[in-house]
Amino acid sequence: MKRLSILLLTLILVLSVLTGCGGNTTSAPTTEPTNGNEQDEAVKTITLELAFNQNEAHPQYMAMKEFGKTLYERTNGAYNVEIFPNELLGAQKETVEMVQSGTIAMSLAGGSLMESWNPDFSVFNLPYVFDSIEHQRAIVNDPEIVGDLYESTADNGIIVIAAFHGGVRNVYTDVGPINTPADLNGLQIRVMQSDTNLKMMELMGGIGIAMGQGEVYTAIQTGVLDGGENNELIYTSLLHTEVAPYYSYTQHLMVPDYLVINTNIWNEMPDDVKTIFREELDKAIDYEYDVFAEAVEAAKKVAIEAGANFNVADMAAFQEAVSPLTESKLTTDVTKNIYAAMRAWNK
């Protein structure tokens, strides 16, 4: 009985190690013979948990679902992705910290959050930094431009493995249309959690309030907030049309959303799997960018039917108002070099 107890305790400890690093292991059949045998052999499936704060209709969810399917197929069942949408695992900052600790493997997170790990990420969080969606697409996944930045947090437990389009962010309120910075005077607007976003909203004329996305509806409804700022997909899918029906095209931000992965999980992944991983991520990124525009138009139609009002703000006035922020944030060689590469694009 004593030997049996020791064996059971050992088994429990081994299972704890396997499930505590963000990758759960299960048995799955291979899709082709291994080691030259005619009979398929069982392989272990490492399940990579992915946290996501939006619903299953979001282009990023659909892109990562397809990514997980092809990753499983191309690794013969060795790797699988399990997505937890709708903030099931917590708000974005919490889930990035869970990736950092190894509690889960991956998280999709708004770009501004990465400033907490390295302030240089602010270079992509600056207002009006991208000229177009095509401009963003060309820059944020170019390893020659972003490679060092994305690897800079490796010692802190996370690596940015890819960047997705997060939409074009605009202001919406419950008090009326926003046309100029003066219209935001005194209004409390939810922004993503970063010093850059808080300063940006101040320069735009409002008062930035950082909070989790899941709390925004109730905060506007109860008067804690006067509105938020986000793209049309989020605005519509979270039913913010019901509490803040005035959506104004300030077009102030085009912040990428990052897929972050635990450093140890990535480093321990075999090289051939890393190659497959990156190849399939490239396809997922292309897919997500391509369908986002269609999703925006569909979301806008739903919002209008729900009673939302859309207007185009004086973008030049907002660009002038926030211009001091860009200069103040380009303080390191990394940010200056990346910004220079962005401005030189297609010139």
Side-chain angles (χ1 to χ4, degrees), residues 315-343:
M315 194 166 67
F318 282 101
Q319 286 176 316
E320 182 180 356
V322 301
S323 59
L325 182 60
T326 298
E327 183 177 350
S328 69
K329 288 293 182 178
L330 300 178
T331 58
T332 68
D333 289 341
V334 172
T335 55
K336 290 176 182 177
N337 290 338
I338 291 177
Y339 187 78
M342 284 194 287
R343 300 326 312 156

Side-chain angles (χ1 to χ4, degrees), residues 1-308:
M1 289 297 294
K2 182 177 181 181
R3 292 178 60 189
L4 180 59
S5 298
I6 293 173
L7 285 172
L8 287 173
L9 180 59
T10 302
L11 178 61
I12 290 171
L13 290 172
V14 170
L15 289 173
S16 297
V17 171
L18 288 174
T19 59
C21 63
N24 293 331
T25 306
T26 57
S27 179
T30 58
T31 58
E32 61 185 19
T34 58
N35 298 326
N37 295 330
E38 292 298 323
Q39 185 176 3
D40 288 355
E41 299 178 359
V43 298
K44 298 295 183 182
T45 297
I46 296 175
T47 297
L48 305 173
E49 301 95 341
L50 168 62
F52 186 46
N53 72 325
Q54 304 302 332
N55 62 32
E56 295 88 336
H58 196 282
Q60 290 173 10
Y61 178 93
M62 294 188 287
M64 290 307 298
K65 183 177 181 180
E66 185 63 23
F67 166 78
K69 177 183 176 182
T70 53
L71 179 68
Y72 183 86
E73 291 171 350
R74 290 192 62 189
T75 60
N76 295 325
Y79 284 83
N80 186 38
V81 176
E82 183 177 4
I83 309 175
F84 294 86
N86 300 308
E87 287 193 340
L88 287 174
L89 300 182
Q92 289 183 330
K93 188 173 188 296
E94 298 169 26
T95 60
V96 174
E97 291 170 347
M98 291 169 70
V99 174
Q100 185 179 19
S101 67
T103 305
I104 60 175
M106 298 186 291
S107 178
L108 273 162
S112 296
L113 288 174
M114 290 305 297
E115 289 184 46
S116 298
W117 282 267
N118 182 353
D120 286 343
F121 275 93
S122 64
V123 68
F124 292 141
N125 305 335
L126 297 171
Y128 304 107
V129 73
F130 295 111
D131 300 331
S132 64
I133 293 174
E134 292 74 21
H135 184 200
Q136 183 195 54
R137 186 175 186 171
I139 296 295
V140 296
N141 284 298
D142 184 341
E144 293 187 4
I145 296 176
V146 301
D148 290 342
L149 177 64
Y150 288 4
E151 292 275 349
S152 66
T153 56
D155 290 342
N156 291 323
I158 53 176
I159 295 172
V160 173
I161 200 71
F164 289 91
H165 180 53
V168 181
R169 301 178 78 96
N170 305 282
V171 171
Y172 53 91
T173 78
D174 63 351
V175 300
I178 301 299
N179 293 298
T180 68
D183 294 328
L184 279 173
N185 186 34
L187 298 187
Q188 299 196 96
I189 305 297
R190 183 265 177 182
V191 297
M192 292 180 288
Q193 187 169 336
S194 82
D195 292 339
T196 301
N197 279 265
L198 292 168
K199 182 62 176 177
M200 175 199 70
M201 185 51 61
E202 178 186 343
L203 291 171
M204 288 175 67
I207 302 169
I209 304 294
M211 68 169 59
Q213 190 64 266
E215 305 171 57
V216 176
Y217 183 102
T218 302
I220 298 174
Q221 188 179 46
T222 58
V224 174
L225 292 176
D226 298 298
E229 52 85 45
N230 220 313
N231 63 66
E232 299 93 333
L233 270 64
I234 309 306
Y235 174 64
T236 302
S237 66
L238 295 183
L239 302 180
H240 291 178
T241 52
E242 297 177 351
V243 291
Y246 301 98
Y247 191 97
S248 303
Y249 278 104
T250 51
Q251 301 184 56
H252 55 276
L253 280 180
M254 198 184 300
V255 179
D257 289 332
Y258 297 119
L259 177 65
V260 298
I261 189 170
N262 176 269
T263 303
N264 291 334
I265 290 176
W266 178 250
N267 288 342
E268 292 169 4
M269 198 176 289
D271 288 341
D272 59 332
V273 175
K274 286 182 179 179
T275 298
I276 294 171
F277 205 95
R278 289 197 179 278
E279 288 175 353
E280 294 306 320
L281 269 183
D282 287 344
K283 296 176 185 176
I285 291 165
D286 288 341
Y287 171 83
E288 191 261 356
Y289 267 88
D290 290 344
V291 302
F292 210 103
E294 296 177 9
V296 164
E297 289 304 312
K300 184 176 179 179
K301 181 179 179 180
V302 171
I304 291 173
E305 291 174 351

